[in-house]
Amino acid sequence: MALQTKYGELIQAARTVGITGLQVREQNNVLYIDGQAPSESAKKQLWDIYQRLDPDFRSADLVLNVNVPATASQQQEYVVVSGDN
């Protein structure tokens, strides 16, 4: 349970960005977070938080297994500019 407290911000962010099939479990002093992200940017947000909490990834107490479905990763963002229809 201590790891869920340590990585509470990461777990909450996973819920906030819409990770589906989210599973959080502790086993042998390692926290496992599994699920599917709706986009690459959502997945990156989680990795950015993880890097802030454990900058060198040295703790070896977290496995972040969040994937982006192929259809979501193929989507591209387009910014509408003046003159577009």
Side-chain angles (χ1 to χ4, degrees):
M1 196 61 115
L3 290 175
Q4 290 189 28
T5 301
K6 176 181 177 181
Y7 292 109
E9 179 184 357
L10 183 60
I11 295 166
Q12 183 57 43
R15 291 182 179 119
T16 302
V17 300
I19 301 299
T20 57
L22 180 63
Q23 295 181 9
V24 179
R25 69 188 188 289
E26 282 187 47
Q27 184 177 343
N28 300 325
N29 297 319
V30 176
L31 182 67
Y32 294 84
I33 300 176
D34 302 297
Q36 288 201 339
S39 66
E40 282 292 333
S41 65
K43 180 179 175 178
K44 184 180 179 330
Q45 277 184 278
L46 298 181
W47 277 97
D48 289 346
I49 292 169
Y50 179 27
Q51 185 173 19
R52 188 168 27 86
L53 296 173
D54 187 5
D56 298 321
F57 305 113
R58 290 187 184 183
S59 295
D61 60 358
L62 176 75
V63 174
L64 184 58
N65 184 26
V66 174
N67 300 305
V68 179
T71 55
S73 64
Q74 293 173 351
Q75 295 178 357
Q76 293 182 350
E77 223 174 273
Y78 178 78
V79 178
V80 179
V81 295
S82 179
D84 285 352
N85 295 355

